[in-house]
Amino acid sequence: QVQLVESGGGLVQVGGSLRLSCAASVRPFSSFVMGWFRQAPGKERDFVAAISASAGGTYYADSVKGRFTISRDNAKNTVYLQMNSLKPEDTAVYYCAALIGIATMKAESYNYWGQGTQVTVSS
């Protein structure tokens, strides 16, 4: 049974940092593209970042470039999202997702999803 479990969300002040983790039971983890998406209340689920299976390629939404960093540890079956210089508009539920194929920003292409973790940035 495939499971993606996010952790690391919480409440942080503007300008602060958080690191999200996603532990994945997909096998083999090293074959999956991993992505992070977010959804704010009343809005659609938006792409945040993705990392290729080999970790050779990383991709970011324009809104987070230079502030967020996606990485993965294939030995631990875990993907991370380091979030710095957080802004109120980063407030959302953050979801981890996995797909077999080519990295994409399209949510519908991802095969597996976690339950999400809440990130709240207060001003």
Side-chain angles (χ1 to χ4, degrees):
Q1 186 174 356
V2 174
Q3 276 192 315
L4 302 178
V5 180
E6 303 96 335
S7 61
L11 175 65
V12 64
Q13 291 188 329
V14 170
S17 298
L18 283 174
R19 188 176 83 153
L20 305 183
S21 299
C22 172
S25 66
V26 290
R27 296 286 188 274
F29 177 75
S30 59
S31 297
F32 282 78
V33 170
M34 300 300 296
W36 285 98
F37 290 77
R38 66 187 181 186
Q39 188 167 19
K43 296 188 176 182
E44 294 185 349
R45 190 169 297 189
D46 291 331
F47 171 78
V48 175
I51 186 166
S52 65
S54 65
T58 55
Y59 312 88
Y60 297 94
D62 288 343
S63 59
V64 306
K65 279 182 183 176
R67 300 188 299 122
F68 290 11
T69 302
I70 188 171
S71 61
R72 65 191 296 160
D73 185 337
N74 286 344
K76 295 183 178 180
N77 286 9
T78 301
V79 63
Y80 305 97
L81 186 68
Q82 177 66 44
M83 306 186 295
N84 299 329
S85 303
L86 283 162
K87 305 175 181 180
E89 51 265 42
D90 294 319
T91 295
V93 177
Y94 283 71
Y95 297 90
C96 172
L99 75 85
I100 288 281
I102 298 172
T104 176
M105 297 186 293
K106 297 180 179 179
E108 59 268 27
S109 296
Y110 286 76
N111 306 105
Y112 304 105
W113 291 85
Q115 293 300 306
T117 185
Q118 176 71 46
V119 171
T120 303
V121 184
S122 67
S123 55

